[in-house]
């Protein structure tokens, strides 16, 4: 289905100029929301995985990793620009408590099983690595970068606390862009949400979680400094450089799967580069587990 065309036609009916619709659409991504029940099953939370014959249950050393989610790629809605495998199964394993404490990535794993692979339901090494099994259905949802979202208090408070003259040229550029080139931003956001409402337990695709992109950006900038590819960044200018690097990385990385935040629970985000996903190199995915505290 031509989702961009659907959005454009609906926006034109609202009287929004075509060039502004095109600018907004460059930032609009559709993602796939997974929720318990509600429609045709496309996968499951928890339970036991179907693994290729002879494959051992993914583990970190001698500690088996619980199955967080498995999805049938062929049953998911297709999204332009999101190069998810056309068929086969994606399985996401993670020990959330240990992944939260250890940033090495060894406590999370993504496995892709192509269609036609001989598989069997794996026998659990321990009851501790089996979560409750729940069937999930899928629906499209709209996703925007953090700086274009409505109501992200932390991000907007950061900008509102800055005087214009204290902003970096990049920060001023973003503000000018929103005010000058997207005068109907509120209407466009509302239309996208009406067509593809948000809300899901896990989201596949869309923009990578800000905390993950922030971590990648910090490591990237620090690595460039250490290698001498970038002059030392003054502490006072670090945040503006970080924002610019995060902005660049949103075109390089995409969310593979991201759990919704639930009060006093762990939630995990898996991200991957576009080119790695296109080549089904899901073992290149990075995971980060956080805890939603008061």
């Amino acid at each position: 289905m031509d989702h961009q065309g659907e959005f454009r036609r609906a926006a034109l009916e609202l009287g929004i100029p075509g060039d502004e619709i095109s600018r907004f659409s460059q930032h609009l991504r559709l993602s796939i929301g997974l929720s318990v029940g509600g429609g045709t099953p496309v996968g499951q939370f928890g339970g036991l995985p179907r693994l290729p014959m002879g494959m051992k249950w993914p583990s970190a050393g001698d500690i088996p990793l619980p199955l967080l989610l498995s999805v049938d790629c062929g049953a998911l809605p297709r999204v332009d620009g999101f190069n998810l495998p056309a068929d086969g199964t994606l399985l996401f394993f993670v020990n959330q408590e240990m992944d939260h404490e250890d940033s090495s990535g060894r406590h999370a794993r993504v496995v892709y099983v192509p269609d036609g692979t001989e598989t069997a339901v794996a026998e659990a090494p321990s009851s501790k690595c089996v979560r409750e099994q729940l069937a999930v259905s899928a629906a499209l949802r709209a996703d925007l970068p953090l700086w274009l979202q409505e109501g992200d208090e932390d991000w907007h408070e950061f900008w509102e606390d800055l005087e214009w003259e204290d902003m970096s040229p990049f920060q001023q550029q973003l503000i000018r862009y929103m005010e000058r080139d997207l005068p109907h931003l509120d209407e466009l956001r509302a239309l996208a949400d009406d067509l593809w409402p948000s809300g899901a337990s896990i989201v596949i695709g869309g923009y990578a979680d800000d905390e993950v992109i922030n971590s990648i950006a910090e490591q990237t900038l620090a690595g460039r400094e250490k290698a001498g590819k970038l002059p030392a960044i003054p502490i006072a200018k670090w945040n503006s450089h970080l924002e610019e690097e995060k902005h660049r990385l949103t075109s390089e990385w995409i969310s593979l799967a991201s759990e919704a935040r639930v009060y006093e629970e762990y939630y995990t985000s898996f991200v991957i580069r576009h080119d790695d996903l296109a080549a089904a190199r899901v073992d290149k995915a990075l995971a980060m587990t956080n805890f939603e505290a008061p």
Side-chain angles (χ1 to χ4, degrees):
M1 182 176 179
D2 181 11
H3 300 109
Q4 289 286 352
E6 179 186 4
F7 180 78
R8 185 176 187 83
R9 288 189 293 272
L12 287 170
E13 290 178 0
L14 295 176
I16 300 175
D19 57 349
E20 184 180 352
I21 298 170
S22 296
R23 286 191 291 269
F24 179 83
S25 296
Q26 292 174 0
H27 308 291
L28 175 64
R29 291 181 183 175
L30 292 187
S31 55
I32 304 166
L34 302 180
S35 302
V36 176
T40 304
V42 298
Q44 66 184 46
F45 293 146
L48 297 172
R50 292 195 67 92
L51 295 175
M53 297 294 291
M55 180 179 177
K56 294 182 178 180
W57 188 296
S59 64
D62 58 353
I63 302 175
L65 304 177
L67 175 66
L68 173 67
L69 168 72
S70 64
V71 289
D72 176 0
C73 296
L76 295 176
R78 304 315 296 175
V79 176
D80 292 339
F82 182 39
N83 294 313
L84 202 66
D87 53 34
T89 304
L90 279 175
L91 304 107
F92 298 83
F93 297 84
V94 60
N95 183 314
Q96 292 184 304
E97 184 174 358
M98 299 187 74
D99 190 60
H100 179 246
E101 297 173 353
D102 179 2
S103 61
S104 67
R106 62 192 297 265
H107 299 289
R109 192 86 48 81
V110 182
V111 175
Y112 173 56
V113 182
D115 268 3
T117 304
E118 188 177 359
T119 64
V121 176
E123 182 178 345
S126 164
S127 60
K128 294 181 180 179
C129 67
V130 182
R131 300 171 56 149
E132 180 184 5
Q133 179 175 323
L134 299 168
V136 295
S137 59
L140 292 178
R141 64 190 296 278
D143 199 12
L144 290 168
L146 188 63
W147 58 278
L148 273 182
Q149 291 178 20
E150 181 179 17
D152 189 278
E153 297 179 0
D154 291 341
W155 193 90
H156 289 288
E157 283 179 3
F158 170 73
W159 291 90
E160 289 171 359
D161 288 343
L162 288 178
E163 297 293 337
W164 181 260
E165 57 271 16
D166 294 329
M167 292 183 182
S168 70
F170 174 72
Q171 293 165 341
Q172 292 176 352
Q173 178 184 353
L174 283 184
I175 296 296
R176 286 196 188 99
Y177 175 75
M178 287 188 285
E179 293 178 346
R180 179 192 62 209
D181 295 336
L182 295 173
H184 298 88
L185 177 57
D186 289 342
E187 294 96 317
L188 290 164
R189 281 191 300 220
L191 174 60
D193 195 51
D194 285 342
L195 291 173
W196 305 290
S198 59
S201 299
I202 290 186
V203 175
I204 293 178
Y207 284 92
D209 187 89
D210 185 67
E211 291 168 314
V212 183
I213 288 296
N214 193 82
S215 176
I216 296 172
E218 288 181 333
Q219 294 176 42
T220 301
L221 290 177
R224 288 179 190 161
E225 281 186 317
K226 186 176 181 180
K229 297 179 180 179
L230 185 71
I233 301 173
I235 295 178
K237 294 185 177 181
W238 176 261
N239 282 336
S240 62
H241 279 267
L242 185 63
E243 285 292 334
E244 188 167 0
E245 180 63 16
K246 287 166 62 177
H247 189 77
R248 184 190 69 81
L249 288 171
T250 58
S251 63
E252 182 179 334
W253 292 81
I254 193 167
S255 173
L256 188 54
S258 181
E259 282 189 287
R261 301 184 182 193
V262 178
Y263 181 67
E264 292 192 341
E265 288 189 12
Y266 292 106
Y267 61 95
T268 303
S269 296
F270 295 83
V271 301
I272 192 169
R273 285 189 171 91
H274 284 276
D275 56 350
D276 285 329
L277 179 59
R281 295 189 293 261
V282 297
D283 58 310
K284 301 291 186 182
L286 301 180
M288 176 181 287
T289 299
N290 290 295
F291 185 80
E292 182 66 8

